[in-house]
Amino acid sequence: MKRLTLKFGQHAQNFHEQEAQQLDIDILEMDERHGYVTSKKQQCWDAASIDAASKFIVHVAVGPRNTDLIERLMQGSHRRLAHPPRPGADDRWRSELSHSLSGHLRGVLPPPPRQSTMGRPPNPKYRIPRTLAHVQVIKHRQGQKLEAVEVSKAHGSWQRINQALDEIGYNIPNTSTVERFNGTARRMNAHQVRRSLAFAHRSNTRQAVAWWSATVYNWVRVHRSLRTPLEVTEGKKRFQQRTPAMAVGLTEHIWTEAQILRAPVYIASQE
């Protein structure tokens, strides 16, 4: 069983690496959820980035909750996009994610004119483009009780943020899309069920299950909010059900787990 789990997870990761390229995505939400590996005393975090419009999981990173986890999530998300995303939202990561966003999404300003021919030329200056914005949704808790939710602008302008919110129908910045995915992922992964004794015995098993769950979520599971009305009804059928992969434009039909496993993969994951 363990051998099959690792094979399924590696195939799902390679399949995602091959198919999820040049994604036309404007808004990314990022969050992490915890579980356990080796024992109930050792936490292991699954970080995910998701498109707020299509609900497509762009990238998954697994490991300890530190700067390296954020860097791997940002690098994996950035290389799959056709262009850098516009406003993005994250939960909790604060300064670490802000620093990582600055490193991956910043632009280079034109070099300032030289005052003389002596000495070294001026160092390039970096600035995040005005079309980008970064919002943080910070939850303040007292024990198990949620006391308050703070919305903080890390980069960009509120005008740009409000423009993006209007495009997706949000009233205030939030991470509802990735939060809903976290709830679904916990039901698909026994290692992350709350208030249970389950945990992954090895980290590679944990990563394999994370990638398999994300791939099934993208290509197999239909999302109610993504359905579109049919031009001509077929009996009682009035809507065309869609998966996140269909919504983002990667496929035109709903896949099955068997079709994913039979799909040829010609490139390997970079992680």
Side-chain angles (χ1 to χ4, degrees):
M1 187 65 180
K2 175 192 169 184
R3 181 176 62 86
L4 287 178
T5 300
L6 296 178
K7 283 185 174 292
F8 281 20
Q10 186 61 55
H11 179 81
Q13 187 174 0
N14 294 339
F15 177 79
H16 186 84
E17 184 72 28
Q18 174 177 280
E19 300 296 332
Q21 298 293 337
Q22 295 297 307
L23 300 176
D24 186 13
I25 290 176
D26 288 334
I27 302 175
L28 280 179
E29 295 183 13
M30 303 179 188
D31 195 12
E32 81 288 359
R33 60 188 181 278
H34 80 278
Y36 301 92
V37 65
T38 305
S39 69
K40 293 291 284 187
K41 296 181 180 180
Q42 183 174 342
Q43 287 191 349
C44 182
W45 296 80
D46 288 18
S49 58
I50 186 172
D51 175 24
S54 68
K55 325 300 180 190
F56 187 84
I57 305 300
V58 178
H59 195 68
V60 174
V62 180
R65 191 169 183 256
N66 53 25
T67 306
D68 177 68
L69 179 69
I70 302 172
E71 286 289 340
R72 288 190 286 115
L73 179 66
M74 288 301 305
Q75 291 173 2
S77 302
H78 188 266
R79 70 170 181 263
R80 303 183 194 283
L81 303 180
H83 54 81
R86 291 182 290 179
D90 75 274
D91 180 17
R92 298 185 185 178
W93 287 349
R94 300 180 184 150
S95 60
E96 290 86 353
L97 184 54
S98 299
H99 176 73
S100 182
L101 277 167
S102 301
H104 290 283
L105 303 182
R106 62 188 180 184
V108 182
L109 292 175
R114 298 193 62 176
Q115 303 299 326
S116 68
T117 58
M118 304 292 291
R120 296 181 178 178
N123 293 327
K125 295 183 178 181
Y126 299 95
R127 183 182 67 185
I128 295 180
R130 295 180 179 179
T131 56
L132 302 182
H134 174 210
V135 181
Q136 294 174 323
V137 181
I138 306 171
K139 299 175 184 176
H140 299 280
R141 301 179 183 273
Q142 185 68 30
Q144 298 294 328
K145 184 179 179 181
L146 179 65
E147 295 288 340
V149 177
E150 175 188 354
V151 178
S152 173
K153 175 178 66 68
H155 301 294
S157 65
W158 281 111
Q159 180 181 1
R160 184 67 193 87
I161 294 170
N162 292 330
Q163 179 184 352
L165 293 176
D166 292 339
E167 292 177 4
I168 58 177
Y170 285 5
N171 295 322
I172 59 174
N174 63 80
T175 55
S176 59
T177 302
V178 70
E179 295 284 3
R180 290 191 182 103
F181 166 69
N182 287 342
T184 303
R186 289 188 182 278
R187 296 174 63 89
M188 299 173 65
N189 188 345
H191 304 155
Q192 295 184 328
V193 177
R194 294 186 182 274
R195 297 183 181 181
S196 73
L197 299 177
F199 61 90
H201 290 274
R202 293 177 177 83
S203 58
N204 57 354
T205 303
R206 177 65 182 273
Q207 180 168 342
V209 175
W211 273 108
W212 176 250
S213 300
T215 303
V216 171
Y217 182 89
N218 280 339
W219 297 81
V220 179
R221 294 179 65 98
V222 297
H223 203 288
R224 185 179 178 86
S225 66
L226 299 177
R227 66 181 186 176
T228 56
L230 293 172
E231 295 182 359
V232 180
T233 59
E234 302 174 3
K236 294 183 178 181
K237 184 179 178 181
R238 296 183 300 162
F239 297 95
Q240 173 63 48
Q241 303 294 336
R242 297 195 302 167
T243 62
M246 295 172 65
V248 83
L250 295 180
T251 183
E252 296 181 353
H253 68 278
I254 301 172
W255 288 51
T256 65
E257 290 92 338
Q259 288 176 327
I260 293 177
L261 293 174
R262 289 196 298 263
V265 175
Y266 302 103
I267 62 176
S269 172
Q270 300 182 22
E271 292 189 1

